[in-house]
Amino acid sequence: MEQEKISSVLYLIDLKVKKQRQVIDTLKKYKRGLLSNLFGEKVTQGCTTKSYYFSEIAQRRSEKYNPTSGIEYPCVELEDIEQETGKILSTVPSTAQSSIKNIAMSGDTLFGKLRPYLRKYAFAQKTMACSSEIWALIPSDVVLPKFLFYLVQTEQFLRAANISSGTKMPRAEWSNIEKADFFIPDFSVQRKVVSLLEGLDQKITFADSALFSLNRLKASLLQQLFI
């Protein structure tokens, strides 16, 4: 019977979904370990690094955006950034907002300071407005922009960010982060680190896309099964 066939296929899809989720979890776990190894040592790939305070590595962008200006940018709120992946899921027109926003420019790293344990960060590909709960971090001349993006994903940075004020609505304190020190390699090593991590991010994105397709196929089959 047709329904029996669909039920059998659904069972196989469920197995595939479970396996795909395991693949994604493994890739994310591997990335966390890789970040720890690449950023947690004084010597990276045989190249001696130099210690810098975070305030020497990046600064917060101070420019603000007023919706009444009439200038329109894509606007990012905290809920628009996916946890731990760096993906901006959606944006809204900045002119539709009612409050003053921060400005981020191409090459900035976005970091959600509200509940920093949620690991909400993103890389700005263009000028945009963003929530006042999001820092737009400008890379200094000692780091590549994408290297900074991966630096804020490290446990060392997140530990400093999570020394926060407030209990119900904890926020990262710049005074704690700016004096945290990090070992930074030269640009040739930074490029290798960025290339390696970008490649891994692409694998995670591909795995996520495959999981999305499987779930969409399952939903379609369920619809047919119950017609």
Side-chain angles (χ1 to χ4, degrees):
M1 292 175 63
E2 187 68 21
Q3 289 186 349
E4 290 177 346
K5 291 180 181 178
I6 294 176
S7 295
S8 178
V9 172
L10 283 171
Y11 173 75
L12 293 175
I13 291 176
D14 281 339
L15 291 178
K16 183 65 176 175
V17 165
K18 182 179 179 181
K19 183 176 180 181
Q20 192 64 21
R21 284 177 176 155
Q22 290 173 341
V23 168
I24 293 169
D25 289 342
T26 299
L27 286 170
K28 288 181 176 179
K29 184 178 179 180
Y30 175 66
K31 181 182 176 181
R32 288 193 291 270
L34 196 58
L35 283 166
S36 178
N37 288 330
L38 292 173
F39 289 86
E41 300 293 335
K42 293 184 180 181
V43 177
T44 303
Q45 298 183 7
C47 177
T48 302
T49 59
K50 184 177 178 181
S51 177
Y52 292 93
Y53 291 119
F54 191 76
S55 59
E56 299 175 288
I57 298 169
Q59 285 292 324
R60 295 170 294 176
R61 189 172 292 282
S62 61
E63 293 94 326
K64 300 295 180 181
Y65 169 80
N66 190 329
T68 62
S69 68
I71 303 172
E72 185 171 302
Y73 299 117
C75 183
V76 179
E77 299 292 335
L78 271 176
E79 59 267 26
D80 299 322
I81 301 176
E82 190 173 53
Q83 286 183 244
E84 203 174 353
T85 67
K87 293 179 184 175
I88 296 177
L89 300 173
S90 62
T91 61
V92 294
S94 59
T95 50
Q97 304 303 298
S98 58
S99 60
I100 301 296
K101 302 292 181 182
N102 290 336
I103 284 286
M105 296 186 180
S106 178
D108 288 355
T109 287
L110 308 183
F111 183 80
K113 66 175 181 175
L114 177 65
R115 297 192 181 100
Y117 56 81
L118 292 177
R119 299 170 184 257
K120 292 203 169 188
Y121 37 71
F123 187 75
Q125 303 282 357
K126 55 187 175 183
T127 300
M128 57 180 60
C130 56
S131 165
S132 59
E133 299 290 2
I134 297 174
W135 284 332
L137 300 173
I138 311 168
S140 74
D141 58 4
V142 303
V143 289
L144 298 172
K146 251 317 181 48
F147 190 85
L148 173 62
F149 170 63
Y150 287 114
L151 177 63
V152 305
Q153 300 179 38
T154 64
E155 291 301 323
Q156 184 182 358
F157 178 86
L158 290 166
R159 279 196 299 270
N162 278 294
I163 305 172
S164 53
S165 63
T167 53
K168 293 183 179 179
M169 303 284 279
R171 288 175 172 81
E173 294 286 346
W174 183 254
S175 59
N176 294 324
I177 292 173
E178 66 176 349
K179 58 190 178 186
D181 61 321
F182 298 86
F183 291 99
I184 305 298
D186 61 40
F187 286 120
S188 63
V189 176
Q190 288 184 40
R191 291 187 188 96
K192 292 177 182 178
V193 169
V194 168
S195 177
L196 181 61
L197 290 168
E198 282 182 332
L200 186 53
D201 277 344
Q202 288 174 1
K203 290 182 179 179
I204 293 172
T205 298
F206 180 79
D208 277 335
S209 297
L211 179 61
F212 176 80
S213 296
L214 284 169
N215 284 323
R216 187 168 57 181
L217 175 60
K218 179 182 176 180
S220 175
L221 289 172
L222 282 171
Q223 187 177 21
Q224 294 179 50
L225 185 62
F226 292 103
I227 289 177

